[in-house]
Amino acid sequence: MRPSLADLSAMYTFPYVKKRVSIFSKEVVELSPIEVAIDEMQGRVNELNEVIMREPHDMIKLQLKLQGSVSPQVNAGPIAYANTFLAKELVEKYPREHVMSLKNTFRQFVQVCASALDVNAKLIGPEQVEYHESMKKDYKLMVELLCSLVDKLHQPEALMFEKGDSLRVFNYISAVTGSSSTV
């Protein structure tokens, strides 16, 4: 049994209080495995975005969603999807538009995870620094694995440098500034 999406058309908008709403058409679309992966990853991106944008921030919910996204011991889903659908020897099996959509979703996923880590860093107390560093390390490993499968995937600059790594930061800024002035 393949996952599917059902599109129901009704006479009135939901919720309709006075009586039951009759449905006048139903369309069921079966999803291919890569479409399921795209839908699942887009759902993760949307959930993380929702948690990040909500004010005041719910640190517990943020950490649960973040850990479920970046920690392989909690959920290997993103890496499994990437290995299954984006590996060089397998990518030709799937429609190009689906592959491109999944790659774009992974780019969004990496960015939203970085943003979630930034928000988490601002919310945590001293007792959670080790936990945050563990999630950051898992994030970096995930990005390294994804870089080989998703082109134009770069780790956000804010997470590339460790504290006290001022020479690398200076060199990075100099390179960015130097390359933009020559254009």
Side-chain angles (χ1 to χ4, degrees):
M1 184 173 175
R2 293 176 105 177
S4 60
L5 293 176
D7 184 20
L8 305 174
S9 298
M11 297 293 282
Y12 305 100
T13 60
F14 289 99
Y16 191 71
V17 181
K18 295 190 179 201
K19 57 184 175 182
R20 292 180 184 244
V21 177
S22 59
I23 295 172
F24 62 85
S25 76
K26 178 181 177 181
E27 181 183 338
V28 178
V29 178
E30 285 192 16
L31 299 176
S32 68
I34 194 168
E35 289 173 316
V36 172
I38 293 166
D39 190 51
E40 171 70 24
M41 291 306 300
Q42 193 60 53
R44 285 176 185 255
V45 169
N46 292 341
E47 286 174 354
L48 273 169
N49 266 328
E50 185 179 306
V51 172
I52 292 169
M53 298 301 167
R54 181 170 291 143
E55 292 287 340
H57 295 294
D58 182 349
M59 186 172 71
I60 305 282
K61 190 172 184 178
L62 173 67
Q63 288 177 347
L64 287 173
K65 295 286 182 194
L66 190 55
Q67 185 178 20
S69 295
V70 300
S71 298
Q73 56 274 54
V74 174
N75 191 349
I79 298 300
Y81 285 142
N83 287 329
T84 302
F85 300 111
L86 301 178
K88 289 178 183 17
E89 62 275 1
L90 299 172
V91 76
E92 297 300 321
K93 291 182 177 182
Y94 305 104
R96 181 171 165 70
E97 64 272 5
H98 291 329
V99 171
M100 296 308 294
S101 178
L102 187 58
K103 285 182 177 185
N104 286 333
T105 303
F106 270 110
R107 288 183 196 102
Q108 293 170 3
F109 179 68
V110 166
Q111 292 297 320
V112 76
C113 285
S115 298
L117 280 167
D118 288 342
V119 170
N120 188 59
K122 294 173 186 168
L123 296 175
I124 62 170
E127 70 282 354
Q128 290 188 316
V129 170
E130 188 176 326
Y131 174 63
H132 178 74
E133 290 299 318
S134 170
M135 284 196 295
K136 207 160 102 173
K137 185 182 83 167
D138 289 342
Y139 168 80
K140 288 179 181 180
L141 289 172
M142 179 188 73
V143 170
E144 285 176 22
L145 291 169
L146 289 174
C147 277
S148 65
L149 300 170
V150 180
D151 52 330
K152 298 178 187 170
L153 179 71
H154 302 290
Q155 196 175 102
E157 291 82 16
L159 295 172
M160 286 172 52
F161 308 110
E162 300 295 329
K163 289 180 183 174
D165 205 1
S166 56
L167 182 58
R168 280 184 50 201
V169 172
F170 176 75
N171 288 338
Y172 178 79
I173 293 169
S174 297
V176 169
T177 307
S179 66
S180 63
S181 64
T182 60
V183 172

